[in-house]
Each structure stands twice: as C-alpha cells, then as structure tokens.
Amino acid sequence: MTYSQLDAKTLTRRIGSGTVHTNLLFRADIRYEYSVAGTSYSGTDVTIERIWTQDKAVAKSTLQRYPIGARVTVYYDPSTPRRSVLEPGMKGGWPAQIELGVIFCVVSLIGFAIASYLKRSGS
C-alpha cells in the first residue's frame, strides 16, 4: 500500500422547484503497487465499484484494512493485468440485486412469451 487517505465530497441535488439536498459522501482513497511477470503496475480500486457512502465509519473501516506500507493480495485480470482490485466480487448490495432481479424477470417474460407464441402457432 502506497497511499491510504479518507476522501470526501459534497453532493448537491436540486429536487423539484428549488429544494436543495446536500450530502457529504466518503470513500477510501487508496493506491497500491504490484508486479506481474516482471512488469510493475499501480492500482486504486478496492472493489469493482467505486463506492461513496454517507457513513464515514464504513470508509474508515476500509482504510484500516489497507494502511500505508501493508502487504496485500492484489487480484488482477490475467488478460489485462493493469485492471486490478483488492476485494473481488460484487459488493453492490441491494441496488445490484434489484438490477439482477429485473434482468432475470425481463428475460423470463420474454421466454414465456416466445414459448406461448410457439405453442399457439404449432396447434
């Protein structure tokens, strides 16, 4: 680990006719170095998604797992070694689950429609 700091940003959204919502968001801003087959690379991604959170403790927890100077396992794409993460897999929580559920439902409905059409046209 070569860099590990708390990053913060303010997100301001205007809703409707002038209502302004402001949120303070946090994330772990980290950098690490690794080498593959003698070639050096650097990375910044903990997970596939760049996660900003309103919960400062969540970002601090990530920083505690990755302090400067720590030796870490880096997971990289063998076909493109510059693409790397420290924590592989989906960490999207319920939004990702909803997206996958919607995709599954749409594909299922299309399949049922095709099967129904084929059954009617075959009779």
Side-chain angles (χ1 to χ4, degrees), residues 11-68:
L11 177 66
T12 303
R13 295 177 291 156
R14 195 171 298 276
I15 298 174
S17 59
T19 304
V20 175
H21 289 275
T22 302
N23 294 330
L24 186 57
L25 303 175
F26 303 94
R27 76 174 176 98
D29 184 10
I30 64 160
R31 296 182 190 117
Y32 51 89
E33 295 178 350
Y34 59 103
S35 64
V36 177
T39 302
S40 295
Y41 297 94
S42 62
T44 59
D45 295 329
V46 175
T47 62
I48 294 171
E49 311 93 12
R50 286 202 171 248
I51 299 174
W52 288 87
T53 178
Q54 290 181 327
D55 190 345
K56 191 175 187 178
V58 169
K60 283 187 169 187
S61 171
T62 301
L63 291 175
Q64 289 174 348
R65 291 194 309 273
Y66 302 109
I68 294 173

Side-chain angles (χ1 to χ4, degrees), residues 85-100:
V85 295
L86 299 179
E87 299 174 8
M90 295 294 291
K91 307 270 193 257
W94 65 267
Q97 293 171 4
I98 289 174
E99 289 171 9
L100 289 174

